Amino acid sequence: MKRLVPLAAAAMAGCSAPQSPLDPAGDQASALLSLFGLVVLVCGLFYLLVLAALGWGVLRRRRGQGQAEQQDSGLTRGLYVWGGMIVAGLTVLIVGSFIADRSLASARARETLLVRVSGHQWWWRIQYRDPATGGWIETANELHLPVGRTTRVLIGTADVIHSFWVPNLAGKQDLIPGRDNAVDLTPRRIGRYRGQCAEFCGAQHAHMAFDVTVEDPARFDRWLAAQARPAGRPADPVALRGEQVVAQGQCGACHVVRGTAAAGRAGPDLTHLASRRSIAAGTLPMTLGNLQGWIAQPQAIKPGTRMPAVRLSGPDADAVGHYLATLR
Ligand code: CUA
């Protein structure tokens, strides 16, 4: 019994986690968890029945009970009952799947926000449709969602197959080259969750995560408005030097910092990098030290990443780290 307590505690901790389909925080994940429960119940019941029939058969055989004729008629009746139960069990599963599917599809009518997600080896480009202008506001590796509203997420990929999965909010949806997919998210609980690429996509598949923040709609609107703005100019001279290095050096060839000359499209948009919770697609928490480590040795932190180690002098590397940390 004593041994069971930590085991049960570990199992319970797994149930209320930022990345768990067993702790639904949205309509879609709730519908899927209900369906999962139904499947486990029906299949578990049939599993027990099969075991009981097996045990009964073994016992009967051992005792050598019954005449051959009696056994035959009993078996025939038993098989009819068994066939009927299988039909009933499958019918329950079909109806359950249909109800879950309709409930996922019904969210379509309540969509209020449009987001485009594009998978890259190994990060996520994320664009919000600006409700005011109809343009797109770009960020990377993080999703903010207003609680109680339905967001339509359009899904595509720039290279290989990936899969978009926020277990607390909805099921998986694959990102397939040349094909447009979509998934609805209707979060019901404010909080922080974690999304993860769920389809093997190369060496750093495991380091292709993203942060999800579900917040009240007013807060979300403020966040989106802030993301739409260009980067502010840094005040201190070290960060100002960093801005120059980023905009005029190699960083700007791959990254955008809106409001500066950095306009590369190959890598993530860095305009509000420091407002995110992590760097390198959920690989490290967002701190100045981690930013500096990532700039200095990306291949050591995420081997195979498309981000090269850019040769910078010590003071320049330091300045770039400080500048990026000001991009809130
Ligand atoms: Cu992208 Cu796995």
Side-chain angles (χ1 to χ4, degrees):
M1 190 63 204
K2 264 186 184 168
R3 277 191 201 159
L4 281 178
V5 172
L7 261 182
M12 295 305 281
C15 292
S16 68
Q19 189 180 334
S20 168
L22 302 179
D23 179 29
D27 288 358
Q28 291 76 14
S30 295
L32 291 174
L33 184 62
S34 303
L35 181 61
F36 174 71
L38 185 71
V39 172
V40 168
L41 194 76
V42 171
C43 295
L45 184 70
F46 274 84
Y47 178 68
L48 292 178
L49 284 173
V50 168
L51 285 189
L54 182 69
W56 176 74
V58 169
L59 274 181
R60 234 176 117 78
R61 175 102 191 147
R62 278 218 180 134
R63 289 184 193 157
Q65 281 172 348
Q67 301 299 319
E69 268 176 38
Q70 270 183 352
Q71 273 188 0
D72 278 354
S73 74
L75 264 184
T76 310
R77 227 178 311 136
L79 281 176
Y80 278 126
V81 172
W82 183 239
M85 285 171 68
I86 289 175
V87 170
L90 287 176
T91 306
V92 169
L93 291 185
I94 290 169
V95 172
S97 307
F98 180 78
I99 292 172
D101 180 69
R102 288 301 88 200
S103 112
L104 294 184
S106 69
R108 193 76 223 264
R110 304 190 304 269
E111 285 162 9
T112 57
L113 185 69
L114 194 60
V115 178
R116 254 187 343 209
V117 171
S118 169
H120 294 251
Q121 284 177 316
W122 290 275
W123 60 281
W124 306 86
R125 189 189 299 280
I126 296 179
Q127 295 164 309
Y128 283 78
R129 165 96 107 210
D130 189 339
T133 66
W136 295 92
I137 302 167
E138 186 160 325
T139 177
N141 304 323
E142 66 161 357
L143 207 53
H144 280 241
L145 298 169
V147 70
R149 292 195 190 159
T150 297
T151 299
R152 179 93 171 152
V153 184
L154 304 174
I155 291 170
T157 171
D159 37 52
V160 299
I161 297 183
H162 306 270
S163 188
F164 176 89
W165 192 29
V166 190
N168 298 70
L169 298 184
K172 295 173 188 173
Q173 188 61 265
D174 281 354
L175 289 68
I176 298 167
R179 192 190 152 113
D180 296 323
N181 270 343
V183 63
D184 284 314
L185 302 177
T186 314
R188 294 288 176 194
R189 200 172 72 220
I190 287 175
R192 290 176 163 189
Y193 307 99
R194 190 170 184 274
Q196 168 70 44
C197 179
E199 179 79 51
F200 181 72
C201 55
Q204 290 298 334
H205 155 70
H207 285 146
M208 189 171 166
F210 55 101
D211 299 302
V212 182
T213 302
V214 174
E215 54 202 351
D216 70 72
R219 228 184 142 102
F220 168 80
D221 289 342
R222 283 201 299 278
W223 173 82
L224 191 60
Q227 294 292 314
R229 284 195 280 275
R233 299 241 43 214
D236 81 287
V238 176
L240 212 53
R241 168 79 194 133
E243 185 197 48
Q244 264 179 5
V245 176
V246 168
Q248 284 150 27
Q250 286 179 51
C251 309
C254 292
H255 295 285
V256 176
V257 181
R258 278 175 273 132
T260 75
R265 294 288 299 158
D269 186 306
L270 301 182
T271 309
H272 298 287
L273 173 72
S275 71
R276 300 174 198 160
R277 273 151 52 200
S278 64
I279 55 176
T283 307
L284 293 170
M286 177 64 68
T287 65
L288 176 59
N290 284 342
L291 271 174
Q292 288 174 321
W294 174 244
I295 295 161
Q297 299 226 345
Q299 296 298 330
I301 292 166
K302 201 166 167 178
T305 175
R306 301 284 188 258
M307 166 135 161
V310 173
R311 275 175 202 277
L312 292 171
S313 70
D316 277 358
D318 186 50
V320 168
H322 275 89
Y323 170 58
L324 294 180
T326 67
L327 294 176
R328 295 204 58 83

